[in-house]
Amino acid sequence: MKSSLLWMQEYVDVDMTQDLQKFADTLTTAGIPVEQVEYWGDEIKKVYTGKILSIAKHPDADHLVICQLDMGDHELQIVTGASNVRENQIVPVAVHGAHLPGGVKIKKSKLRGVASDGMLCSAHELGFDDSVLLPEERNGIWILPGNTPVGVDAVDYLELRDVVYEYELTPNRADCFSMVGLSREFAVLSGRQAAYPDITVDECEQSISGNVKISIEDEELCSRYTARFLCNVKVGKSPLWMQQRLRKSGVRPINNVVDVTNYVMVELGIPLHAYDYDKVADHHLIARRARRGEKIKTLDGTDRQLTEQMLVIADAEKVCCVAGVMGGFTSEVTEKTKTVILECASFKGSSIRRTGRALGLRSEASARFERGLDAESCIHSLDRCAQLLQQMGACDVAQGIVDVYPRPQKTTKISFTSRQINAFLGTDISEEQMISILKTLRFGIEQKGDAITAIVPSYRGDCTEMPDIAEEVARIFGYEHIPSTHPWSNITKGEEGYHHAVSEKISSVLSSSGLNETVTFSFMNTDSLKKMLFQDGDAVYAAVPILNPITEEFPLMRTTLLTSLMDVLARNQAVKNPSVAIYEIAPVYRPKALPVTELPEEELCVAGLLYGQRTEAQWPDKAENYDFYDIKGMVEAVLKGLGIQADLQASAWAPLHPGKAAAFVKDNNVLCHFGELHPKAVDNYDIVGPVYVFEMHLNAVLPLVNFLPDYHKVAKFPAISRDLAFLAPVQTDNADIISVIQKDGGPYLEAVHLFDMYQGKQVPKGFKSLAYSLVFRSSEGTLAEADIQKSIDAVIAELQTTLNCNLR
């Protein structure tokens, strides 16, 4: 939202001599944030209006002409290359010594031997951008209206010297998306009174009754629909003053009818739309949802496919407008239009926002509707629009208004006492001052003893309870005037939560292992899951849909972190990063049921990814790439850091390479899957492999975490070890053999580990040789061979019986 302070002068006597940057800061502090202060026309000097008396060809240049200009009290000769100049036109003229935006200085000169006393100016050269210019104004000299006085200062006449505030308003302050709404803030903060236009309409003998019909089919999305009937319409250019005000507000002038609707939208904050009466079938406008398969060509010339969730304005035959967003091409007002239906309606903000996002279309109107508008102001806005068109002589206004308002907006009343407000704010503001502030903001006031009732204006939908009234009082009183105090409460010392402590420990281990932490969006799509080879029916496909996704590419809350890390890897490979080592600790979201009827479960997960070089080539060493054992080591380091001992098993997790996938398991619960990413998944992402990943679910890990180490006394007695080699079938897992050894190894078995595996000529086909070191120790004395022999025999027998493993 932008506001011209020259325009603001119509409503509030703004002191233009004050420090306007300082006043912008005052507005910002009061909750009306001014993002930027634009100083218009400060650089422009010695630019006047001139009338072209004659045009002659340049004797030595085909593309130049010599213009003689009437400057009011004298004449000038100017040579120009503009092709759009004609005799009797009035144009802006920069004379000798003039200054233009961008530091441009004008002086007398000769062009191909002919003297030129200055320069004719285009709208661009006076500081205007193409986006706010009429098509004919974008090229060549700016041709001013024929009634422009000659010889006057163009900066003053064209209102080029101005200060424009650009606001970054919060969504709750929809009332400030208008000049009148902002003027209320200007008035109360500057201690002045605001004055508003006196709106009256002179109606002709023609009646709207029987000529225009309005209907609402969806009262949920359209709460009010009003219309006026304009006859004998003369479409043309709007007055220059109106065009200039629109341009400073960032709106491009089009024609007088459209410009007035935009002007009233900026002035009063309520969007309006004009339809060519003769292009509306049966002269009947209907607010309804779009029907399946319906399309519309919008005013920007684009064909758009509509859905059944979108609110439209239609006639008996076709869709005429995407409600609250943009009008349709088939019913637009053109130079041939003679009769107009002028509409003003109130639409549901969330519906307009969803429609705009779905169509990829946003307008000044939709930006206002999205925030929720005041249905009570529709008639007021219609009359203002009709009044302005009447004053231009652009139309006659038929008698009456069609007003469909099935559920009128209720008046909000908030009761409070000055004591409550002061207790809430920690202030000592008098009751009289509170009432004065609220009255200046146009709140109605009723008093009964100490009790005060504020009657909230219809345009302040953000005020619903006592704290909202306290906020209004505080921001106008001035937050800087409120003393700083400590809150009164039983304050306890903040402590780190258990989940956070576990996350920090994992983060510390992975970061110290050389991985970089990433933070990605919590969204995904099903295509990513398919790329990762998750099968249909897998639990990861049960995802929470997002009602208003930031982009159609991410319509779901993620159920795995791997897709996010793969997107990061793809971006890194695109910029030729030879090594990627990343991890993320974040929640995934699992619905309890679909469709979602209650909050989903948030499960904290950890995922990591390795790709490329572990170390760079640096003489005399060669570069080394990440491999399976790097990812295994990192997962083991995490589990060790959490004090967890788990069993290693082969994994059949879909995203992983079938022969290079493993999992850590404890009490039949999978704590973590890890391994090399499946080559098909690598191909699906169109990246270079191999890629190594892991994903750990903290719900399974948290109950097992032990931050206190398991302390043991230093052994007093020596250990005794025994090495055993077994011929085992090739399909036998190392974990199964170790499980048997630990079970039957007896009370003195302290440790067991595999130290050799061999398959060769000395080993029968279908078998492998596995060699284990068994360590025995007693806390009561030194062991002898006889003390452990019984346990060794039991291990050998059990392995032979259950796993067909024979001692070599």
Side-chain angles (χ1 to χ4, degrees):
M1 172 69 189
K2 291 184 175 183
S3 74
S4 156
L5 294 195
L6 279 182
W7 186 359
M8 185 62 70
Q9 296 278 41
E10 281 202 6
Y11 316 106
V12 183
D13 183 18
V14 180
D15 182 5
M16 299 293 285
T17 63
Q18 66 176 314
D19 185 342
L20 295 175
Q21 179 61 60
K22 185 176 180 181
F23 188 67
D25 295 338
T26 300
L27 286 167
T28 301
T29 303
I32 312 298
V34 179
E35 186 74 10
Q36 184 176 349
V37 180
E38 300 175 1
Y39 296 91
W40 284 55
D42 273 5
E43 299 176 275
I44 304 176
K45 296 178 183 177
K46 302 185 74 172
V47 178
Y48 305 97
T49 58
K51 184 176 183 178
I52 300 176
L53 299 175
S54 64
I55 302 175
K57 289 186 177 181
H58 193 290
D60 295 323
D62 293 337
H63 67 284
L64 296 177
V65 294
I66 304 168
C67 299
Q68 299 296 327
L69 290 107
D70 176 10
M71 300 301 295
D73 56 357
H74 65 286
E75 293 186 7
L76 285 180
Q77 176 175 288
I78 292 180
V79 179
T80 180
S83 60
N84 68 322
V85 293
R86 303 290 184 271
E87 291 182 358
N88 297 317
Q89 289 177 338
I90 300 175
V91 295
V93 182
V95 301
H96 176 70
H99 291 219
L100 298 179
V104 177
K105 297 180 181 180
I106 305 300
K107 60 182 180 180
K108 293 181 180 180
S109 61
K110 285 188 177 183
L111 297 178
R112 294 287 184 95
V114 176
S116 181
D117 296 326
M119 183 181 79
L120 306 185
C121 297
S122 67
H124 288 142
E125 288 161 336
L126 293 177
F128 289 101
D129 186 76
D130 270 354
S131 62
V132 294
L133 294 175
L134 293 165
E136 62 268 23
E137 295 170 340
R138 295 173 188 170
N139 297 300
I141 302 305
W142 191 3
I143 309 302
L144 302 179
N147 60 355
T148 302
V150 174
V152 300
D153 189 325
V155 174
D156 291 335
Y157 183 77
L158 298 175
E159 297 186 350
L160 295 179
R161 189 172 289 111
D162 197 355
V163 175
V164 175
Y165 285 170
E166 183 175 358
Y167 306 88
E168 191 69 33
L169 296 168
T170 52
N172 65 310
R173 292 308 304 271
D175 61 300
C176 287
F177 276 80
S178 67
M179 296 298 295
V180 167
L182 288 168
S183 72
R184 289 188 285 264
E185 303 294 326
F186 274 70
V188 70
L189 292 170
S190 61
R192 290 173 164 80
Q193 292 294 319
Y196 305 114
D198 183 18
I199 301 175
T200 58
V201 179
D202 295 326
E203 297 179 334
C204 65
E205 294 181 358
Q206 180 76 36
S207 174
I208 195 173
S209 179
N211 288 305
V212 176
K213 185 178 179 182
I214 299 294
S215 301
I216 298 177
E217 288 188 4
D218 196 316
E219 296 179 5
E220 179 190 357
L221 301 185
C222 179
S223 59
R224 190 178 192 182
Y225 201 165
T226 64
R228 268 197 176 276
F229 185 42
L230 308 182
C231 315
N232 303 317
V233 174
K234 302 176 186 66
V235 178
K237 287 187 177 181
S238 56
L240 183 61
W241 63 267
M242 181 175 285
Q243 292 185 31
Q244 295 296 77
R245 290 181 178 184
L246 289 174
R247 287 180 176 122
K248 293 173 188 176
S249 301
V251 179
R252 177 171 62 89
I254 298 174
N255 60 52
N256 52 359
V257 175
V258 176
D259 290 354
V260 167
T261 62
N262 286 331
Y263 183 88
V264 174
M265 174 184 70
V266 177
E267 182 183 46
L268 302 182
I270 309 294
L272 302 96
H273 190 66
Y275 300 86
D276 188 319
Y277 177 79
D278 296 321
K279 297 177 182 176
V280 176
D282 295 340
H283 313 309
H284 183 190
L285 292 174
I286 308 161
R288 63 169 173 82
R289 292 179 188 259
R291 298 189 178 113
R292 181 175 296 180
E294 280 189 318
K295 296 180 179 180
I296 184 175
K297 186 176 184 179
T298 47
L299 289 173
D300 59 359
T302 304
D303 292 319
R304 301 184 185 277
Q305 181 70 51
L306 304 174
T307 68
E308 296 174 19
Q309 287 73 42
M310 297 177 181
L311 182 69
V312 299
I313 306 301
D315 60 20
E317 298 174 354
K318 61 187 178 299
V319 175
C320 298
C321 175
V322 182
V325 181
M326 186 173 284
F329 188 78
T330 57
S331 60
E332 78 167 322
V333 173
T334 66
E335 293 178 357
K336 297 180 180 179
T337 299
K338 300 301 179 184
T339 315
V340 164
I341 301 174
L342 187 63
E343 138 206 306
C344 188
S346 178
F347 304 125
K348 188 175 182 180
S350 58
S351 171
I352 301 305
R353 178 171 176 78
R354 284 195 295 269
T355 297
R357 289 183 65 86
L359 295 177
L361 185 61
R362 205 161 186 269
S363 62
E364 287 287 333
S366 67
R368 287 166 170 81
F369 277 119
E370 287 173 6
R371 289 164 169 81
L373 295 182
D374 175 23
E376 292 295 310
S377 297
C378 289
I379 300 294
H380 193 61
S381 299
L382 271 181
D383 287 346
R384 177 60 170 165
C385 195
Q387 177 192 34
L388 289 169
L389 286 169
Q390 267 190 337
Q391 290 174 352
M392 296 177 194
C395 72
D396 293 326
V397 182
Q399 294 181 19
I401 294 175
V402 178
D403 183 8
V404 182
Y405 199 7
R407 290 181 289 180
Q409 185 174 319
K410 294 181 180 179
T411 301
T412 301
K413 295 185 176 182
I414 303 172
S415 296
F416 63 94
T417 65
S418 60
R419 182 178 298 176
Q420 284 179 314
I421 299 294
N422 282 322
F424 187 81
L425 297 175
T427 55
D428 188 21
I429 305 172
S430 68
E431 180 180 286
E432 292 74 16
Q433 191 172 1
M434 290 183 190
I435 292 173
S436 175
I437 289 172
L438 293 172
K439 283 184 175 179
T440 309
L441 291 171
R442 303 289 171 142
F443 284 75
I445 296 294
E446 295 176 352
Q447 280 186 277
K448 189 174 182 180
D450 291 339
I452 305 171
T453 299
I455 303 170
V456 180
S458 59
Y459 50 79
R460 288 304 302 272
D462 58 311
C463 291
T464 58
E465 54 188 349
M466 185 277 291
D468 297 323
I469 297 297
E471 181 184 2
E472 294 301 298
V473 171
R475 68 185 187 85
I476 302 303
F477 176 72
Y479 294 120
E480 69 275 13
H481 298 140
I482 299 177
S484 297
T485 57
H486 292 291
W488 186 91
S489 64
N490 293 321
I491 300 175
T492 58
K493 181 182 179 182
E495 295 182 356
E496 184 180 42
Y498 181 63
H499 285 62
H500 184 264
V502 173
S503 298
E504 286 296 296
K505 180 63 178 179
I506 295 172
S507 179
S508 175
V509 171
L510 292 175
S511 295
S512 62
S513 299
L515 276 68
N516 296 305
E517 185 172 7
T518 63
V519 179
T520 60
F521 286 127
S522 299
F523 316 127
M524 68 169 192
N525 58 39
T526 52
D527 289 342
S528 297
L529 298 177
K530 291 177 181 177
K531 286 182 180 180
M532 295 297 292
L533 305 181
F534 286 107
Q535 299 298 309
D536 292 340
D538 196 295
V540 293
Y541 284 98
V544 178
I546 304 169
L547 291 178
N548 293 305
I550 59 173
T551 170
E552 295 304 317
E553 295 180 6
F554 298 109
L556 304 171
M557 299 300 292
R558 65 184 173 191
T559 54
T560 175
L561 299 183
L562 284 188
T563 55
S564 300
L565 295 188
M566 290 298 291
D567 290 337
V568 174
L569 173 62
R571 287 193 293 272
N572 274 268
Q573 286 198 5
V575 295
K576 308 300 182 184
N577 191 341
S579 178
V580 178
I582 54 175
Y583 73 94
E584 182 166 8
I585 303 175
V588 296
Y589 303 86
R590 303 190 187 281
K592 297 175 183 177
L594 287 175
V596 176
T597 56
E598 54 183 322
L599 290 175
E601 295 178 351
E602 294 186 29
E603 181 183 354
L604 199 62
C605 289
V606 185
L609 180 149
L610 299 177
Y611 157 78
Q613 297 177 352
R614 183 195 314 116
T615 59
E616 296 180 358
Q618 189 171 2
W619 189 88
D621 299 320
K622 296 181 179 179
E624 294 183 356
N625 293 328
Y626 287 114
D627 59 25
F628 174 87
Y629 297 101
D630 289 303
I631 201 77
K632 175 177 178 286
M634 288 179 183
V635 174
E636 287 177 328
V638 170
L639 294 177
K640 183 178 180 181
L642 299 177
I644 299 174
Q645 291 185 347
D647 299 325
L648 185 64
Q649 295 182 1
S651 171
W653 199 37
L656 298 180
H657 190 300
K660 301 177 183 179
F664 279 106
V665 179
K666 183 73 171 181
D667 299 330
N668 295 322
N669 292 322
V670 176
L671 307 183
C672 176
H673 292 284
F674 66 91
E676 182 181 331
L677 192 65
H678 200 294
K680 288 184 179 179
V682 172
D683 292 341
N684 289 341
Y685 269 92
D686 194 23
I687 57 176
V688 179
V691 178
Y692 302 94
V693 298
F694 75 84
E695 187 169 64
M696 180 181 295
H697 298 275
L698 293 194
N699 280 1
V701 170
L702 287 170
L704 306 173
V705 173
N706 179 20
F707 284 132
L708 296 176
D710 187 12
Y711 291 100
H712 297 279
K713 292 181 179 180
V714 176
K716 294 181 180 180
F717 304 102
I720 184 172
S721 63
R722 180 69 66 86
D723 295 341
L724 301 177
F726 297 95
L727 288 175
V730 291
Q731 69 272 17
T732 304
D733 289 339
N734 169 60
D736 294 335
I737 295 175
I738 288 182
S739 177
V740 171
I741 295 173
Q742 290 174 335
K743 180 172 68 72
D744 295 310
Y748 301 133
L749 181 65
E750 183 179 76
V752 57
H753 66 271
L754 176 70
F755 67 87
D756 184 56
M757 184 185 78
Y758 175 73
Q759 286 180 282
K761 294 181 179 179
Q762 296 85 358
V763 177
K765 187 176 182 181
F767 285 84
K768 56 187 175 183
S769 173
L770 299 175
Y772 295 88
S773 177
L774 284 65
V775 179
F776 298 88
R777 190 193 303 271
S778 172
S779 60
E780 298 175 355
T782 302
L783 294 174
E785 289 290 332
D787 297 326
I788 64 171
Q789 189 60 47
K790 186 176 180 180
S791 297
I792 291 174
D793 293 340
V795 166
I796 295 171
E798 184 64 21
L799 286 174
Q800 185 175 22
T801 302
T802 59
L803 299 178
N804 192 26
C805 297
N806 297 302
L807 188 68
R808 285 187 66 185

